[in-house]
Structure formats: structure tokens, C-alpha cells
Amino acid sequence: MVTVSKAEQRASHAERNVEGQRLGGAQILCEALLREGVEIVFGHPGGAVLPLYHVLTDYPIRHVLVRHEQVAAMAADAYGRIKGRPGVCFATSGPGATNLVTGIASAMMDSVPVVAITGNVPTFLLGGDAFQETDITGITLPITKHNFLVKDVNELAETVKAAFHIAGTGRPGPVLVDIAKDVFTTEAVFQYPHTVNLRGYRPTYHGNMRQIKAAAELIAHAHRPLILAGHGVVISGAYDELLELAEKCDIPVGQTLLGLSCFPQSHRLSLDLVGMHGTSRANRAIQECDLLIGIGMRMDDRVTGKVSGFAPHAKVIHIDIDPAEIGKNVRTHVPIVGDARQVLRALNSVVKPAKHPQWLARIAEFEERHPGRQWHPADGLQVPFVVDAIYRATDGDAIVTTDVGQHQMWAARFYPFDRRNRWLTSGGLGSMGYGLPSAIGAQFAAPGDVVWAVVGDGGFQMNIQDLATVREHSLPIKIALMNNGYLGMVRQWQQLFFQHNYSSSYLGSPNYVKIAEGYDIPGRAAKTDDEAVAAVRWAMDTPGPVLIDFRVAEEENVYPMIPPGGALSDIIEDPRD
Amino acid sequence: MAIAAPPALRAIHTHTVVALLEDRPGVLNRVVSLFRRRGFNIETLTVGHTDLPDISRLTVVVEGDDRIVEQVVKQLYKVIEVLKVSDVTADRVVTRELALIKVATGGTTRSEIMQICDIFRAKIVDVASDSLMIEVTGTQDKVESLVQLVRRFGIKELVRTGRVAMVRGSQGVTRVDDE
Ligand SMILES: Cc1ncc(C[n+]2csc(CCOP(=O)(O)OP(=O)(O)O)c2C)c(N)n1
Ligand SMILES: [Mg+2]
């Protein structure tokens, strides 16, 4: 067999020009993907996409075979986040397509650019309940930014162009393109459009200057201003602009779960995480501030708690690229629709420098009473200790991915980011199983970077099969399994709000080290602080993937916590504080 | 603390929202799915062609306060094929609905029904030995009144369209700027 490297293929492909030639739909799709700069696709084949997979090997597009389509969607999501342009996944019709659903919905909730391509049954069978037909455009209608069903090969190229445009611009999101099988094998003249024709889609990037001046006016008169920075800051790359605003006007910055890694957390103005498991100082500051500036965030209920008790003394400035998010949950005094970076640039040019020593001193008091980065030594290994050990061993420089649950909150709290866009978590949908797939996507997007997947024993088992993918590509992912033997966050709620009734939240523990070894991935367990530190060191010194089974304390709770349905002022602090 | 107004006085009333849509398969599905998912209460929904071949026009009557209707408008705009959305409730608008009513007739009631139709400028569009079909066009109130009036004769069948609306004067929910 003669193998040609993808780089060689890329070079030879760049030379030939197929515009104006007749090509099959599968080739047209691949040509379109090349023109969109796609280098890698995560996917899983099946009947309806076989013609596509057949031609794919001729193209300089790398295909990563995952072991479950959910992983394809989630890896594409992570790739999209790190690269800032759409990640791509493929799946076949029917079960292949429906397996993508959770990943697509996660990308939707977190505003991540993803293009999902599915095959469907041939056009003449569409609508007739043929083998492996599902109405995937119907199913994904409410969980995509937009979707398409392609029944005519002549529309394929422009559809792909539109899909990438919609996914990657404005407020990013997933776009699904469902392609009937016969379209892949029908020929058409290939012509890739240079522009898109979408009359109804025109995102607003530049904020209204009158509103921006009104915001500056509020900032000038505020005594206790506060910034809530969200994912929009990461997406628009507004790091410098946010830092400039905060420093110039001496405004503390809280970060939403997806806003982590958008502002240096070692900075004196960082309040770190806000919301349900946010720091005491961040949530208390929200309740006392007289001006709240939301930037690229959506006042989600996990941030606000009970809305009627949220930031009761504050006027609100809300900057977001999606007008529908402004005023949706929280009454807004100055709405500014636009790209965070563009708006902040304009705002920085009109705000006047200010100092707020008293306000910051007040916040420092909160911090002193309930320090944000402290945990209580207790029986057994503590997740915060492990996360801190990883932080130290990686100089705070790793890409960190998580599943959903207690370990996620602890990772969010104890791995402070100074670098940009290093944090991958399923915030909006809260999808267990995201940790490993996102680490895979991130490692492909940033091959030279250190990637740590901090996973729960519950979440990890939802996509554990893709250890095979990690092994196949020798991805040097360090898997930190926080094994508490429980669906920990569920157990915590049951303990606190359901009279200790641990109904179906106990997992027990398979031998994870053996499982890893079964996939030819070195593993080891750690039960004590010393073992944990040594294991982290070992992971860093071992080339390639490793798994560490951290046997952490079973019944620890994440504090502080805003009780569900409560206001931020109903904060439950650690009883041991 | 403001005291809540009694239900009847609260700002919850119906709004008439007009939207221009790309005339493509699936667009109506997107719009309806949006209303369902976000729990917007639709009283009526009407879609039809416009003077432009590729644009259709939706008139939807939604229930809710100003905040909800603001969300309706903003969420509609997020649908890629939605070109323009206006809440025309506060504008000077002409609104119309149409109803077909099949009413039972006896020996003496036929002329009485026809008199009522005259007053409402409704048309008799079909006559059978024991029934009449009435076509009435007008505001929701007018259609409603006629239906109430003929109810005592015995309504055998009734069908109503939703509301359509157009702003008076030269301005309105027209062309979408095409750049
Ligand atoms: C797919 C999915 N199913 C259920 C849930 C509800 N849920 C949230 S956290 C959690 C427990 C997660 O357990 P584990 O992965 O072990 O993490 P831990 O909380 O123990 O750190 C569950 C079941 C979810 N978020 N996602
Ligand atoms: Mg667990």
C-alpha cells in the first residue's frame, strides 16, 4: 500500500483547480470543506455516508474515527472553541445522527461554532420511514442555530458555505447539514461561492455609540461597579479590552463558568467564579454593587439565582451580541448590542479613569471571611487538593476540560487561569460525558499544549469507550479521574435538600486502572496527598496518555452554594469556615 | 412595593406581530416551533404570499405583556429566514378576519338570518334546504358579534381564519432592504 501524507495531499490539492468541473456531491462537499479551511473532521461512518467516506481518503482532510458520535460532536465543539472557527463532525443517518444530539445541544447552549454533517436516506426514500431514516433536521431544529436538508446537489456548495458562515459569525452556534445519500453520488458543476446570500442574517458588531456613552456616564457615577464577564469575551477575543476597562476604572471582574480564562485570575481585580458555586466575594459583591456590567454573558439562572433578589441595588449595563439575551432575564438600564471586543474598544475610548479603594476594601473583607481558594483538610483525598497539585505541576498553563458535577465546580474554583481560552466545560447544557471528548478535540486543536481532562467517575463512564481514540492517536491527554464512587453532585443535593436519601446516586467503582490498561493506556491510582502529588508528577513525566484514578473522599460537598431557587444572598457557606 | 393591578387591568393583552419570511420549506415550522418551545401563547397565526414571489407574510396574534412580546420579536429575528418583524399593535392598522358559518334554517328563520347578514355586510355564499352558508369579513369583534347573533339558529359548522393586519398610510411592513 502506498501512503501519502495529508501534508503532501494538501500541497497537491492546492495546485489543482476543480472550479467549473463536474464533480460528485461527496467531492463537492470535500472541496467545500477544504475551502473553509477544514483540516480535521471527527466522525463515524455508516450506510448513508459511505460515498462520502469513500472519497474522503483522497482529500487532505484528516478524519478521526470516534467510538460514539456524541464524542464527534463534543470533540468538534472543543476544537471550535480552541480554534475560534467551526469544528466539524460527520455522522450517518438515523442512530448516527441522533447520537450527535447531546453534543449539538451542548454547543448550542454554549455558543460554540460547529458544523455537523449527516447523511440521510436517498431523496426518493425521504419521508417514507426507510431503514435508518430520522428527521434529524426536525429533531435538531431547536438545538441548532440553523440547519439544512440538501436534496439537490446543485445547492450543496452554497449550503456548506452558508453553514460555515452562520456557525462562525455573530453569536456562534452549531449548524447541521443533512444530505440525502444520492446527493453524494450525483454530479454537478462545482463552483464555490465567494459570498453568502442571507438576507435575514446580519449580526450587529458595533455597539450604538449613544448607548456606549450612556454606559460611560453610569460608570463615571458608580461607587461600587462590578463586571460580570462571560464566554462572549473569549469568543470575541476581548481580553485586552476587558483588562483595560477593569484597570482604567478600577472595576472588579467576576467570571461566569464559561467566562473563566477570559481575565487573569491572579489579577487583584479578579473575583473569580460567580453564581451557584461561585466565590463568596463574587456573589456578595454582586449583591452590594451599584452598577453591574454584564459583558458577553446571558444572565443565566445559575448566575443570577432568584432574579428578583439579584443585584438589588444595581443599575445594569448589558453588552451582548445577541439582542434577545438583553432584557430577557434581568431588567437592563443600558442595553448595548454588539461584539464584546468592538463595544469595549469604543467604551474604553470614552470612559474616565476612576478609583474605588473603599469598594475593593469591602470585597477584600468578604474574601477574608470566606477565602475563595481554601479548602478544609478532612479525611481522605480532597478534589481541591488534586486540582491544586495539577495547577502547580502545569504552572497554571494547561488546557483543562471537565465533565459535569462536583469535580467541575472544584476545577473551576481551584485552577485559576491567567492564560486565555484554556478552559473547556459544558456550562449551559451541563452534559456529563463532555470531559474526555473535549480533551480529544482540544488536543487535536492544540497539539503542543498540555491537556488535562478532569473527569467525574459518572461522566467519564458516559464516553469511556473513546479511550480507544486517545490511544489510536497517542494523544498525550492526562486524565484525572475524580473517583468519589458517587454521582457526587446528585448526592450533594440529596444530602442537602432531600433528607440524605441517596436514591440511585451510588456508583461504586470498577477497576479504572485496568480499564485504561485494557486500552493500552498507563494508569495508576492515588489515595493520599503524597500519592496524588507523585501521580501528577508521573503523569507529566510520562509521554502520551495516562489515567490517574484519584480515590477522593466520598461525601464531600462543594461550598459555597446558592441553594436552587434561592437568591445570591441565601448563600450557604462551608459549615466548617 | 407597587400593588398589583387586578388581572383585567394588567398590561397583558394581545399584540399583533407581523413578520416577513423567506418563502422556503420549513420556515413556518421553525417559527411555530419557536412559539411552542418558548411558551408564547398564540391566539391566531396566518401565513400567505406577498407581492414578492420569494417572501411570505406572517401575522400572529400573541398574548402577553410588553416584555414577552419584545422577546417574541427578538426571537423571531434570530430565525435566519425571518427578514423583518414589527409589532404593529400600537400603529394605526386595518385588521381583518374571515369566517364561514353554516347556519341551520327553518321555515321562518331564513329571512331573519339574511337581515342580520345585511347589517353586517356579510354574504350568503351557499343555500341548502335546511341551511345557509355565511361569509363574513371584518375585525375580530365584528366576526365575533355575528357568530354570537346567529348562534341561536344553530351553527352547524364554523371556520375562521386568523387575523391579517396592515398599517394605514404609506408606511408599513414592506420591502426588506436588499443589499
Ligand atoms: C448526561 C447527564 N445526565 C445527568 C446529569 C445530571 N447530573 C449532574 S451532575 C451529576 C453527577 C455527576 O457525577 P460524576 O461524574 O461522578 O461527578 P461528581 O459530581 O461526582 O464529581 C449528574 C448525574 C447531567 N448533568 N448530564
Ligand atoms: Mg463522582
Side-chain angles (χ1 to χ4, degrees), chain A residues 404-407 430 432 456-459 462 484 486-490 507:
Chain A
V404 171
Q406 292 186 311
H407 66 280
M432 286 170 71
D457 45 343
M462 288 197 173
N484 54 10
Y486 275 100
L487 299 169
M489 189 57 90
V490 169
L507 290 170

Side-chain angles (χ1 to χ4, degrees), chain A residues 141-142 145-147 166 171 198-202 322-324 326-328, chain B residues 22 30 33 37 54-55 67 71 74-75 78 80-83 177-179:
Chain A
L141 190 140
K145 185 171 172 185
H146 197 60
N147 62 23
I166 293 169
R171 177 180 178 177
L198 297 163
R199 291 186 290 183
Y201 178 71
R202 281 176 204 156
D322 182 353
I326 298 180
K328 186 176 86 177
Chain B
E22 302 240 26
R30 280 176 207 284
S33 160
R37 178 166 87 83
D54 50 352
I55 292 179
R67 204 182 60 91
Q71 268 297 303
K74 286 173 164 180
Q75 294 294 347
K78 284 177 71 166
I80 305 283
E81 294 109 333
V82 170
L83 305 174
D177 40 324
D178 241 296
E179 295 129 52

Side-chain angles (χ1 to χ4, degrees), chain A residues 523-548:
Chain A
R524 95 189 228 186
K527 295 189 193 70
T528 64
D529 289 3
D530 288 347
E531 285 175 18
V533 171
V536 170
R537 200 55 278 155
W538 165 77
M540 294 299 287
D541 292 342
T542 306
V546 301
L547 176 141
I548 308 169

Side-chain angles (χ1 to χ4, degrees), chain A residues 225-291:
Chain A
L226 178 71
I227 291 170
L228 285 186
H231 198 192
V233 175
V234 176
I235 294 167
S236 71
Y239 310 97
D240 294 340
E241 291 76 7
L242 173 61
L243 189 60
E244 184 183 336
L245 175 66
E247 288 184 337
K248 194 166 173 188
C249 301
D250 209 24
I251 308 176
V253 180
Q255 298 111 53
T256 67
L257 184 61
L258 287 186
L260 291 173
S261 189
C262 83
F263 187 82
Q265 287 184 263
S266 61
H267 198 282
R268 68 182 177 90
L269 289 169
S270 178
L271 301 181
D272 298 355
L273 183 68
V274 301
M276 185 168 264
H277 288 291
T279 60
S280 187
R281 71 178 188 286
N283 286 330
R284 287 174 194 275
I286 291 173
Q287 293 310 78
E288 290 198 8
C289 72
D290 65 357
L291 177 65

